[in-house]
């Protein structure tokens, strides 16, 4: 059996296996409803969980497969109506239980949703209230502590702590809030322009999005067919675009809209390369960037992205799901970002995903994926890896019809991956995810419910800031979450 | 106070730390007028404390002890403790060959012992280099590392502690800290240890403090 055959069968096994497992474990009638998060947001559009995202299933569920509910979910289920469809009774039930306290933690269900805590989990509480003593001679525990923020900023963005002399200079008179803020941002600007941030720290934030693999990357030493190296793409192009788009006050939307590539000069500067790039690595199975310019969409159409994610899939669900996860912050495997499309999944490749348990996610995932089917992943011809071939889906999927397989992203029809990217970068989800990347890097976690207001202000300022990641970080450093010890 | 301010201003103007100062001056510069018992200071009520991960940890340790990063610690004298052998426990990740796409969210079970191992290696290395350097010592210039450690409370003892606080924590120690760290000049029996042992122990104490390891 050839490598392509083996991997193709492995992919099919996982789809079928997951569905079979779900079916075997399915209780008789109870089921999770993928439309529920959107209904919650339609009922309460101002909730923090509805700003550039959808609420987590864990607000109601302890498990979605098989479906089980927490105290809040059970309180809603107790009000369900056999005669009303789900879309009708859920909003009524949400309003009916709003003033109740399902988990008994002393905070009403609606207040918990408004605070971003879980109404069905008594351990989920707001951490904003300061109840204990705040006297600390070294830190300002009650407010924004500028020296503390300066040290944190230096470690995060310069990669080192400030020296004694630097700290003395930072706190010297006049040390009023305005003076300290000016010094803090001046130092931050230097850090963001520095090598530590741009070459060492920032690229590491891309790792889980690029998913590099040495054995199949540009430096691979795995030999096939004699002296040919197993190179299925060069992820250095991906890292360079990431660094470029997220530094120097450039427009971060170019992560998904760039139709250029970047080469690195000896001094580390990046230079744009227009057009296709011919194979440029010695003894490599493939390399360069063969995709024509018109069909490029930044990080999600590089040769590496398409090779490592699409691989041998006829319908590249992994590519679409990974793009959705990486740049819109919704991990479908965690039941996030479910926006079912009516009539989906069509199960065009006969993987069994139309079964009810599979359809929970695939009614969102499959319409996300159709546009990616026109791009080659791996196959018999390495010259085609990462290229655009509109005939590809029909070649690989009997019954494929462009009229029936229409891509939908965030409820909007998209005719191509390029349009997919345009809808993505115009969304709140993109902005919110971008802010979350840097918030998580700074604080090791996403914003808490109590921090949602200042977090929302961060990503909502992106259009006014020209989608500059640097400006986003400057705003982040000013938040209480960053500067309050 | 004017002397202290002047010394500080000069120091800043020259972009130096406490280089080339006698022990008495260094101790006099330190902010010893305020004693803070950690037990009495209120703790943060926000989940914001961050773990200083491998790269910043290595850089800070090397910067504080004026050592090359690759000289801090090598297992079997071959592989970097921070960049290779203990990368994951120190909060790093290596996606290319190990497939570790993200760092650990929390310190691992082995993190404390790895931190101890690296800090002890680095502190011992600096103490050894300064002992050999004699008057050309870089960090532990205030005392003779080949002789008995200076008594707790003495100017030389305070100078060592103050130098370490400035180098690792970018601030002066208070009286409480000077006193506590200074006691490392004596062993459990109350007998003075040798200067280089005091230097390494005091260095280890400050560099494994939560203030150095978290931010």
């Amino acid at each position: 059996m050839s490598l392509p055959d083996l991997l193709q069968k492995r992919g099919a096994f996982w789809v079928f296996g997951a569905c079979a497992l779900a079916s075997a474990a399915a209780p008789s009638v109870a089921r999770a409803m993928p439309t529920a998060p959107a209904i919650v947001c339609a009922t309460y559009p101002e909730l923090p969980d509805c700003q550039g995202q959808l609420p987590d299933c864990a607000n109601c569920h302890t498990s979605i497969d098989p479906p089980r509910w927490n105290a809040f979910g059970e309180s809603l289920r107790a009000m369900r109506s056999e005669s009303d469809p789900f879309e009708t009774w859920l909003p009524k039930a949400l309003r009916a239980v709003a003033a109740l306290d399902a988990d008994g933690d002393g905070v009403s269900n609606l207040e918990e949703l408004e605070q971003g805590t879980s109404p069905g989990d008594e351990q989920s509480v707001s951490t904003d209230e300061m109840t204990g003593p705040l006297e600390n001679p070294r830190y300002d525990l009650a407010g924004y502590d500028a020296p503390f923020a300066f040290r944190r900023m230096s470690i995060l963005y310069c990669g080192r702590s400030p020296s004694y002399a630097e700290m003395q200079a930072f706190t010297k008179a006049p040390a009023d809030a305005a003076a300290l803020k000016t010094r803090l941002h001046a130092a931050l600007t230097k850090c963001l322009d520095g090598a530590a941030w741009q070459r060492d720290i920032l690229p590491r934030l891309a790792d889980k999005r690029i998913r590099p693999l040495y054995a199949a990357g540009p430096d691979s030493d795995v030999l096939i067919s004699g002296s040919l190296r197993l190179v299925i793409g060069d992820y250095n192009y991906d890292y360079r675009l990431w660094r470029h788009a997220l530094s120097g006050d450039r427009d971060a939307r170019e992560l998904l809209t760039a139709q250029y590539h970047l080469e690195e000069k000896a001094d580390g500067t990046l230079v744009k390369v227009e057009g296709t790039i011919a194979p440029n690595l010695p003894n490599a199975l493939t390399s360069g960037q063969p995709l024509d310019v018109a069909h490029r969409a930044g990080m999600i159409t590089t040769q590496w992205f398409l090779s490592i994610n699409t691989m041998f899939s006829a319908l590249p669900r992994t590519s679409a799901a990974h793009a959705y996860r990486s740049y819109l912050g919704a991990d479908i495997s965690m039941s996030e970002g479910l926006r079912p499309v009516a009539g989906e999944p069509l199960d065009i490749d006969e993987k069994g995903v139309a079964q009810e348990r599979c359809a929970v996610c695939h009614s969102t995932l499959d319409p996300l994926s159709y546009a990616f089917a026109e791009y080659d992943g791996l196959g018999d011809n390495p010259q085609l890896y990462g290229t655009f071939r509109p005939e590809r889906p029909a070649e690989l999927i009997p019954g494929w019809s462009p009229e029936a397989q229409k891509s939908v992203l965030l409820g909007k029809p998209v005719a191509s991956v390029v349009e997919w990217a345009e809808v993505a970068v115009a969304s709140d989800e993109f902005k919110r995810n971008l802010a979350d990347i840097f918030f998580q890097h700074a604080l090791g976690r996403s914003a808490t419910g109590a921090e949602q207001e200042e977090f929302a202000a961060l990503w909502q300022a992106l259009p006014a800031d020209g989608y500059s990641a640097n400006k986003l970080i400057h705003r982040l450093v000013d938040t209480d979450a960053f500067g309050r010890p | 106070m004017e002397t202290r301010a002047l010394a500080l201003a000069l120091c800043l103007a020259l972009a130096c730390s406490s280089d080339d100062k006698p022990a008495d001056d260094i101790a006099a510069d330190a902010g010893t007028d305020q004693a803070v018992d950690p037990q009495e200071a209120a703790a943060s009520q926000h989940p914001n404390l961050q773990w200083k991960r491998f790269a910043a940890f290595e850089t800070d340790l090397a910067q504080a002890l004026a050592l090359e990063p690759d000289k801090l610690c090598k297992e079997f004298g071959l592989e970097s403790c921070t960049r290779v052998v203990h990368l994951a426990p120190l909060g790093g990740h290596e996606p290319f060959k190990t497939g570790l796409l993200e760092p650990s969210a929390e310190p691992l079970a082995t993190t404390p012992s790895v931190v101890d191992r690296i800090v002890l290696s680095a502190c011992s290395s600096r103490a050894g280099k300064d002992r050999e350097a004699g008057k050309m010592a870089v960090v532990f210039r205030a005392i003779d590392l080949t002789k008995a450690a200076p008594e707790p409370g003495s100017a030389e003892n305070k100078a060592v502690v103050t130098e370490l606080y400035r180098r690792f924590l970018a601030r002066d120690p208070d009286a409480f800290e000077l006193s506590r760290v200074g006691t490392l000049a004596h062993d459990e029996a109350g007998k003075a240890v040798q200067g280089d042992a005091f230097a390494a122990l005091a260095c280890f104490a400050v560099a494994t403090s939560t203030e150095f390891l978290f931010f």
Side-chain angles (χ1 to χ4, degrees), chain A residues 297-317:
Chain A
M299 302 286 291
I300 60 175
T301 57
T302 64
Q303 186 182 51
W304 176 257
F305 180 91
L306 295 166
S307 291
I308 198 68
N309 290 301
T310 295
M311 299 193 85
F312 303 97
S313 302
L315 183 57
R317 295 185 177 93

Side-chain angles (χ1 to χ4, degrees), chain A residues 151-152 161 207 214 443 445, chain B residues 42 48 50 60 93 96 211:
Chain A
R151 180 169 182 251
R152 169 169 283 174
S161 297
D207 288 337
Y214 179 86
L443 295 170
R445 58 172 175 77
Chain B
N48 287 348
Q50 294 302 293
D60 283 0
H93 69 286
F96 302 96
E211 187 173 345

Side-chain angles (χ1 to χ4, degrees), chain A residues 239-275:
Chain A
Y239 279 105
R240 289 193 286 265
L241 178 55
W242 175 268
R243 282 169 49 195
H244 180 77
L246 297 179
S247 62
D249 274 334
R250 280 177 282 270
D251 188 333
R253 290 176 296 180
E254 292 185 17
L255 283 173
L256 298 186
T257 62
Q259 294 190 308
Y260 55 83
H261 289 290
L262 295 148
E263 299 282 6
E264 185 165 9
K265 292 165 67 176
D267 64 0
T269 56
L270 300 176
V271 289
K272 284 185 183 177
V273 180
E274 309 288 350

Side-chain angles (χ1 to χ4, degrees), chain B residues 23-34:
Chain B
D24 285 346
D25 290 350
I26 294 173
D29 281 352
T32 58
D33 52 346
Q34 186 182 37

Side-chain angles (χ1 to χ4, degrees), chain A residues 384-407:
Chain A
L384 297 179
Y385 292 5
T387 57
F388 177 80
R389 287 195 309 116
E391 66 275 22
R392 179 182 180 272
E395 284 177 5
L396 298 177
I397 306 175
W400 176 275
S401 164
E403 284 71 40
Q405 277 71 60
K406 291 185 177 299
S407 277

